[in-house]
Amino acid sequence: MEETNREAVATAVQRVAGMLQRSDQLDKVEQYRRREARKKASVEARLKAAIQSQLDGVRTGLSQLHNALGDVKDIQNSLADVSKDWRQSINTIENLKDVKDAVVQHSQLASAVENLKNIFSVPEIVADTQVLIEQAELLEAHRKLMDLECSRDDLMYEQYRMDSKNTHDMNLIRNYFGEVQGLSDDLAKQLWMVLQRAMGTVRRDPTMLVSVVRIIEREEKIDRRMLDRKKQTGFIPPGRPKSWKEKMFEVLEGTVTTRIEGSQSVTREADKMWMVRLLEITRKYVLDDLIVVKNLMVQCFPPHYNTFDRFFKLYHNAVSMRVQELAAEDLEANEIVSLLTWVLNTYKSEEMMGHPELLTEYDINLMDPLLPQEVVDELLSKYLQTFTSNITGWLRKALETDKKDWFKETEPEADQDGYYQTTLPAIVFQMFEQNLQVAAQINETFKEQVLKLCLKQMNSFLVRYREEAIAYKEDHLRDRQLPQCYVQYMIAIINNCHTFKESINSLKKKYFKSTEPTQNDAAIEKTLNDVAKDGCQFLLDEVFLDLEHHLNELLTRKWLTGTHAVDTICVTVEDYFNDFARIKKPFNTEMTSEAHRRVVVEYIKAVMQKRITFKNADERREGADRMIKEAEQFKFLFKKLTAGEETDRLCDAIAAIAEVFKLTDPTLLYLEVSTLVSKYPDIREEHIVALLAMRGDASRDMKQMIMETLNQNKPTYSGITQPIFKDITVPTVTMTSMSSSMAATANKLLK
């Protein structure tokens, strides 16, 4: 207490010191004193109120404890009185055992009396009930059945209460009511029969279905009551619980399953379109039945049955089981596509489960997929394997059919622009188009897989196509009279390459979303170009086989004296190119350029082969004039074939060589040779040697001087756009005319 006082004094001193820190605060001492006095009075008042409240609570608690003590004493006294009375009444209870037995017996007799009328009339009621069941008076039959079961169950329950171990009496009652269980079974059969025909019944006589549901609901209530009594007494009547509600749903599930499984009316052997027919029948059955359930059957069942949801799931599960069974069969490619298209697209569309009348009742997206994804993947993989095998066979067969056409005696068909073609591209891409349309019905990813597979097979097919074209050419070379339309069909083969390119691009644009090239694009492009180039080369070979005799006449004595070799060459080339006009661009243009180059090269080859050596200036002039004239003929011919395009450079090579021959002043010979080398830098040493040798008037010293002069004024090489002399070889005999020193000089010049 003293310590508390000291702390209070110290606190007070501290507060006073805080209040009187400045001299002007001394004037307010009285004001501070009154304020602290008011605070002290307020605190004391609160303390008094708190203490008074605590005292009142303690007083009330003591009063309640006193009352409780009195109550406990009263209870003790009462318990003592009860214990005393109980001890005195033990003997009295034992004396009432006979009364108890009499009460139980009286209860049994009362139950027997109550059911006496039914007991004596059991055979009659059974017969009436049987008739009612046969007449489909189900509600009335069930009422009588309930009366019979109630009488039997009450008697058996009373017997169970009196003596649960007395099996003899229990069996006696059960046997007497033995036909009741048979009636129950017969009635159940009628109920299940009605439920099995529920779809037809609800349309024809919905009250019958309502009666069945009412009977089942009654039995459910009785089952629940019997089970509750069993928990209390341990007794349950025979045949309980019947569980007819559970059985009803089993019957409905079986009915739905049977309806789905029974929709297959044809087999693969009887109808190739059996899968399409089966799926269409299933679609129609399911949609019609669910609409009937929504509009009619829902009204026949209690709301808590969730009838539509239940039927929706039943049909979904039944359809799922059926399509899984179908998926497990050995399906053909078209059957796989039909099944997957139906499962992945049709099933959830407005034509079936997504029908507007059904969408308001249930969301199909909440259901599991009809087919597990692994089954779908397996079917797609199987389809791709089958498709690969089929398309290989189809392409082989199409190529064999096209090959037969190549040997016909009639020309191939021409398109609207007059270009020769065969039906092969149309057949191939119609085949691709049909399969891609089918694949597109499944999904986008699968469609692109099929397109890539088509392109892969196309690449292999084109390799075989090229091989067959080469074999076709080799067959022709063994007998150039056969086939009669070799040129026309080779043109058609070339044009087919152009058609193939266009068709492939069209397919990719139509069925492939990505603009990125596929892994087969480059190979297909290369193979098509190779086939077209081979075809053009084969046709040019055909032309030059006919020209071979006339080309051999060039730059010979016979040619110098006057022949029509070049005239014949031009006529022959023009005649062939009238047919070649039916080749599509760019192959037509490329072929014309190559023919032009080969004609000029063959002409210059004739020069380099030294078939003639001019004896004098007159022969050189006459030969040069003829060469210039023939070069102009070639220019005119190929300008005509190329529709006026530039053709001078190649033919000018002939004219340039002619100028070397035509020159009369040998001292200027090196200038002409230098001009020739500057125009055609691909000309080689042996070419110059051959030209000088053909002139016939160049001495060894003059040749050496020309070479040395060319070496001093060597032209600058700036690249060759179209080489001419590159593929021209010179017979070795020509080279022996040059000395070793001159050859070394030429090497330095043209290296």
Side-chain angles (χ1 to χ4, degrees):
M1 188 68 179
E2 292 179 358
E3 184 177 354
T4 303
N5 289 336
R6 284 197 298 271
E7 290 179 358
V9 170
T11 302
V13 170
Q14 188 175 0
R15 282 178 58 83
V16 170
M19 293 178 187
L20 301 177
Q21 291 182 355
R22 299 190 308 274
S23 58
D24 59 335
Q25 290 177 330
L26 294 176
D27 296 337
K28 298 179 181 179
V29 169
E30 186 61 28
Q31 182 180 349
Y32 292 154
R33 186 183 65 78
R34 287 196 300 271
R35 186 177 63 187
E36 292 301 323
R38 285 196 300 271
K39 287 183 179 180
K40 179 180 178 183
S42 175
V43 171
E44 289 177 350
R46 287 199 299 272
L47 286 173
K48 288 179 181 180
I51 292 172
Q52 185 63 40
S53 176
Q54 292 290 332
L55 291 175
D56 290 343
V58 171
R59 188 179 298 109
T60 302
L62 290 174
S63 175
Q64 290 176 348
L65 288 173
H66 181 72
N67 293 336
L69 181 60
D71 293 339
V72 169
K73 290 180 179 179
D74 291 341
I75 292 170
Q76 286 179 340
N77 294 333
S78 299
L79 288 174
D81 294 341
V82 169
S83 178
K84 181 179 178 181
D85 293 341
W86 178 73
R87 293 191 187 94
Q88 292 175 355
S89 62
I90 289 177
N91 295 331
T92 304
I93 293 172
E94 291 178 354
N95 294 334
L96 291 176
K97 186 176 183 302
D98 295 337
V99 176
K100 178 182 178 183
D101 294 340
V103 170
V104 172
Q105 187 176 8
H106 180 271
S107 176
Q108 292 175 345
L109 292 173
S111 177
V113 169
E114 183 179 351
N115 294 287
L116 193 59
K117 180 180 179 182
N118 290 338
I119 291 172
F120 286 119
S121 59
V122 164
E124 181 182 351
I125 298 174
V126 168
D128 292 343
T129 305
Q130 189 67 50
V131 172
L132 290 171
I133 292 174
E134 293 174 356
Q135 295 176 350
E137 298 290 340
L138 302 182
L139 281 176
E140 185 62 23
H142 185 250
R143 186 184 65 78
K144 289 183 176 294
L145 177 62
M146 285 195 300
D147 291 342
L148 290 171
E149 289 180 338
C150 183
S151 299
R152 180 197 63 184
D153 297 346
D154 287 347
L155 289 173
M156 294 184 73
Y157 176 64
E158 294 301 334
Q159 176 61 36
Y160 179 84
R161 286 179 59 194
M162 183 176 69
D163 185 2
S164 60
K165 296 180 181 180
N166 188 349
T167 57
H168 178 269
D169 290 345
M170 294 289 279
N171 288 333
L172 183 64
I173 298 172
R174 183 182 287 109
N175 292 336
Y176 185 76
F177 286 91
E179 295 182 356
V180 174
Q181 186 61 42
L183 288 176
S184 178
D185 293 341
D186 290 343
L187 179 61
K189 290 179 182 178
Q190 289 292 325
L191 300 181
W192 310 149
M193 190 179 299
V194 173
L195 289 171
Q196 288 170 356
R197 302 171 181 172
M199 289 300 166
T201 302
V202 76
R203 291 184 176 98
R204 184 180 62 257
D205 185 10
T207 56
M208 176 66 75
L209 186 59
V210 172
S211 298
V212 170
V213 176
R214 288 178 61 187
I215 292 170
I216 292 172
E217 278 294 290
R218 289 175 184 173
E219 289 295 337
E220 280 295 302
K221 291 180 181 178
I222 296 173
D223 280 350
R224 288 194 294 270
R225 190 166 66 247
M226 293 298 105
L227 290 173
D228 290 341
R229 187 164 69 179
K230 180 184 178 183
K231 292 178 182 179
Q232 297 173 1
T233 64
F235 172 78
I236 189 163
R240 293 289 176 184
K242 293 184 179 180
S243 302
W244 278 5
K245 183 178 179 181
E246 181 179 343
K247 178 65 176 177
M248 173 184 69
F249 291 131
E250 292 177 3
V251 171
L252 290 174
E253 182 177 359
T255 301
V256 171
T257 302
T258 302
R259 187 160 174 79
I260 297 301
E261 292 179 348
S263 59
Q264 182 169 347
S265 57
V266 292
T267 60
R268 180 186 290 121
E269 292 74 18
D271 187 353
K272 292 296 183 182
M273 299 296 290
W274 69 277
M275 177 67 77
V276 176
R277 294 184 185 277
L278 168 61
L279 296 174
E280 176 57 22
I281 293 172
T282 302
R283 183 199 68 79
K284 188 175 185 304
Y285 279 3
V286 172
L287 180 59
D288 291 349
D289 288 355
L290 287 177
I291 290 176
V292 169
V293 170
K294 174 181 178 291
N295 296 329
L296 298 176
M297 195 171 290
V298 168
Q299 303 171 16
C300 300
F301 290 84
H304 65 272
Y305 275 35
N306 295 321
T307 306
F308 185 83
D309 289 0
R310 188 178 295 274
F311 270 94
F312 198 94
K313 293 175 182 177
L314 288 177
Y315 274 96
H316 177 79
N317 294 336
V319 172
S320 179
M321 289 176 58
R322 183 61 179 139
V323 296
Q324 289 187 49
E325 291 173 359
L326 292 173
E329 295 184 13
D330 186 17
L331 299 178
E332 297 178 357
N334 62 320
E335 294 168 352
I336 292 174
V337 170
S338 297
L339 180 61
L340 289 178
T341 301
W342 193 87
V343 168
L344 300 177
N345 299 323
T346 304
Y347 184 71
K348 291 186 178 182
S349 70
E350 292 185 357
E351 297 178 2
M352 196 170 176
M353 304 306 252
H355 192 276
E357 286 198 47
L358 305 182
L359 279 178
T360 57
E361 301 294 330
Y362 200 88
D363 185 0
I364 183 60
N365 295 318
L366 299 177
M367 304 298 293
D368 294 332
L370 279 182
L371 284 177
Q373 187 59 43
E374 56 269 19
V375 177
V376 174
D377 293 340
E378 183 179 346
L379 286 175
L380 292 176
S381 176
K382 182 179 179 181
Y383 174 83
L384 290 176
Q385 292 175 0
T386 306
F387 175 68
T388 302
S389 176
N390 289 346
I391 202 170
T392 302
W394 294 335
L395 291 172
R396 185 183 299 111
K397 185 176 179 180
L399 183 54
E400 291 296 328
T401 303
D402 203 57
K403 278 173 54 183
K404 292 178 181 178
D405 292 342
W406 297 351
F407 294 89
K408 287 182 177 180
E409 296 180 359
T410 57
E411 293 183 356
E413 297 179 357
D415 63 12
Q416 59 185 4
D417 296 322
Y419 297 117
Y420 285 133
Q421 62 179 8
T422 68
T423 57
L424 182 62
I427 293 173
V428 169
F429 284 95
Q430 183 180 9
M431 184 193 315
F432 287 170
E433 180 83 22
Q434 289 173 351
N435 284 278
L436 285 168
Q437 288 176 356
V438 169
Q441 296 174 7
I442 297 176
N443 56 49
E444 288 294 322
T445 302
F446 183 64
K447 178 190 68 177
E448 293 185 0
Q449 286 180 334
V450 171
L451 176 57
K452 291 178 180 178
L453 180 58
C454 288
L455 295 178
K456 181 179 179 182
Q457 292 299 314
M458 186 67 191
N459 187 33
S460 302
F461 166 75
L462 290 174
V463 172
R464 293 195 299 273
Y465 191 53
R466 184 185 184 190
E467 294 171 353
E468 294 297 341
I470 294 173
Y472 182 55
K473 182 262 300 187
E474 292 173 350
D475 288 342
H476 172 70
L477 291 180
R478 282 190 280 270
D479 183 357
R480 293 190 63 217
Q481 300 301 317
L482 297 174
Q484 293 185 11
C485 297
Y486 168 77
V487 171
Q488 290 80 0
Y489 277 99
M490 188 58 73
I491 291 173
I493 291 172
I494 297 170
N495 289 338
N496 285 349
C497 295
H498 185 271
T499 306
F500 277 132
K501 284 185 180 181
E502 290 182 337
S503 300
I504 289 171
N505 291 333
S506 176
L507 279 184
K508 289 172 61 179
K509 184 177 180 180
K510 185 175 181 181
Y511 293 103
F512 201 60
K513 288 185 176 180
S514 175
T515 57
E516 295 294 325
T518 66
Q519 59 182 0
N520 296 296
D521 286 358
I524 291 175
E525 180 77 13
K526 180 180 182 302
T527 306
L528 284 172
N529 288 335
D530 289 345
V531 173
K533 288 179 180 178
D534 287 348
C536 292
Q537 189 66 40
F538 298 158
L539 291 176
L540 287 178
D541 290 344
E542 184 73 7
V543 174
F544 281 89
L545 282 174
D546 287 348
L547 297 180
E548 184 175 6
H549 173 71
H550 305 291
L551 290 171
N552 289 334
E553 289 184 0
L554 297 176
L555 277 296
T556 62
R557 283 289 166 189
K558 182 179 179 181
W559 167 82
L560 187 62
T561 58
T563 66
H564 300 287
V566 171
D567 296 335
T568 306
I569 290 171
C570 291
V571 170
T572 304
V573 170
E574 185 173 6
D575 181 59
Y576 268 104
F577 270 84
N578 286 333
D579 287 336
F580 297 164
R582 294 176 178 265
I583 299 176
K584 293 182 179 180
K585 293 182 179 181
F587 307 125
N588 177 290
T589 305
E590 294 172 357
M591 191 172 177
T592 306
S593 298
E594 178 62 18
H596 186 190
R597 191 190 72 83
R598 283 186 64 172
V599 166
V600 172
V601 167
E602 290 296 330
Y603 195 99
I604 297 176
K605 276 184 180 179
V607 175
M608 299 302 170
Q609 289 174 358
K610 195 187 174 186
R611 297 174 182 174
I612 183 175
T613 301
F614 297 122
K615 296 178 179 180
N616 50 52
D618 292 338
E619 284 190 356
R620 286 192 291 274
R621 183 179 65 256
E622 184 179 351
D625 290 341
R626 181 174 287 275
M627 289 177 66
I628 293 171
K629 176 186 175 183
E630 290 173 347
E632 290 298 323
Q633 284 183 265
F634 290 145
K635 280 185 184 181
F636 177 79
L637 170 65
F638 287 103
K639 186 169 291 187
K640 179 180 179 181
L641 294 180
T642 57
E645 292 184 10
E646 179 60 41
T647 60
D648 290 352
R649 185 179 185 277
L650 289 171
C651 295
D652 284 348
I654 299 174
I657 293 173
E659 291 297 332
V660 173
F661 295 152
K662 190 175 182 180
L663 188 69
T664 56
D665 187 356
T667 60
L668 300 177
L669 188 59
Y670 79 92
L671 294 177
E672 289 295 337
V673 174
S674 177
T675 302
L676 179 65
V677 171
S678 64
K679 287 183 178 180
Y680 304 97
D682 61 319
I683 193 168
R684 300 192 299 274
E685 167 196 351
E686 59 265 29
H687 298 141
I688 297 175
V689 172
L691 293 178
L692 295 176
M694 187 173 174
R695 268 188 64 89
D697 65 343
S699 65
R700 178 177 297 181
D701 292 339
M702 183 183 295
K703 293 175 183 177
Q704 185 172 357
M705 183 269 292
I706 291 172
M707 291 298 180
E708 290 175 352
T709 305
L710 289 174
N711 185 40
Q712 295 173 1
N713 301 278
K714 184 167 60 176
T716 304
Y717 177 72
S718 58
I720 307 171
T721 57
Q722 189 176 16
I724 299 175
F725 294 89
K726 177 182 177 182
D727 300 324
I728 299 175
T729 58
V730 180
T732 54
V733 66
T734 305
M735 296 301 299
T736 59
S737 62
M738 295 296 294
S739 66
S740 58
S741 61
M742 188 166 61
T745 305
N747 240 350
K748 293 178 182 178
L749 174 65
L750 300 171
K751 186 176 179 181

